[in-house]
Amino acid sequence: MAEDNNQNAGAAAGQQDKPQLQFALQRIYVKDISFESPNSPAVFQKPFKPKVGLDLNTSSQQIDESLYEVVIKVTAQVSHSEEGTTSFLAEIEQAGLFRISGIEGQQLEHTLGAFCPNVLFPYARECIDNLVNRGGFPPLMLAPVNFEAIYAQKKKRQAEQAKQQGEQTTQ
């Protein structure tokens, strides 16, 4: 009985030594927004045959001891598929402040590079859709994005570049 109590006390002490994991979304906001329709009103005189170009980037920075800003930049350029003239260009930087503690190293990098953008993307998607609609065009329904796969590709590219640089320095 006394041994059981000692084991429980030891387990509790071990848990107190570990930093407590904390992940909380503090705020979601639009950092930058832009909509351009350079060929209006002529673009509305023709049948709308869109060709969509989409660019997506993420970035993060530490603001305070356990506060991080994560930004998703979405750029959608839609042109007329036959003529190549730009119908519209919509850009948004959707940002969020996240309070993260008890997560370090690769796990923190993964959280900032994949998990946080997954949280923010639906807001960016809705904002782009709203911008395009207010510009007089049919809604641009962006497909969901797999930030886990994007993060994995980025890490793979970084590893390959590091390997190539290592081979160059040994020659």
Side-chain angles (χ1 to χ4, degrees):
M1 182 93 164
E3 290 177 21
D4 289 343
N5 288 338
N6 288 340
Q7 288 176 352
N8 290 341
Q15 288 174 353
Q16 289 174 356
D17 292 344
K18 292 181 184 178
Q20 187 168 355
L21 296 179
Q22 180 184 16
F23 179 88
L25 176 60
Q26 299 294 303
R27 184 169 309 270
I28 295 176
Y29 55 98
V30 173
K31 193 165 183 144
D32 189 21
I33 194 167
S34 173
F35 181 84
E36 300 172 30
S37 181
N39 295 307
S40 294
V43 72
F44 298 119
Q45 306 298 321
K46 305 168 191 162
F48 189 60
K49 298 179 181 176
K51 178 182 174 190
V52 180
L54 187 66
D55 188 29
L56 185 67
N57 292 307
T58 63
S59 63
S60 63
Q61 66 176 342
Q62 188 169 6
I63 304 298
D64 203 0
E65 184 179 331
S66 62
L67 191 65
Y68 297 86
E69 178 189 52
V70 177
V71 180
I72 299 176
K73 182 175 182 180
V74 181
T75 304
Q77 182 169 0
V78 176
S79 55
H80 192 279
S81 62
E82 294 171 1
E83 298 173 10
T85 58
T86 299
S87 298
F88 66 84
L89 176 70
E91 293 180 306
I92 182 171
E93 287 186 18
Q94 185 73 53
L97 288 176
F98 296 87
R99 182 144 325 267
I100 304 170
S101 62
I103 301 174
E104 297 175 357
Q106 287 288 101
Q107 193 176 19
L108 176 61
E109 189 178 322
H110 181 259
T111 300
L112 295 171
F115 186 74
C116 293
N118 273 328
V119 171
L120 294 174
F121 186 72
Y123 297 94
R125 182 178 173 196
E126 178 190 8
C127 194
I128 287 281
D129 191 49
N130 192 308
L131 269 177
V132 170
N133 202 10
R134 288 179 182 257
F137 294 92
L140 183 65
M141 303 293 275
L142 298 178
V145 174
N146 185 345
F147 286 98
E148 292 288 335
I150 292 171
Y151 177 78
Q153 288 174 346
K154 178 182 174 185
K155 295 303 286 179
K156 184 178 178 182
R157 276 195 312 271
Q158 288 174 346
E160 288 171 357
Q161 288 173 349
K163 183 179 176 183
Q164 288 175 352
Q165 288 175 353
E167 289 174 358
Q168 290 174 355
T169 56
T170 57
Q171 292 177 355

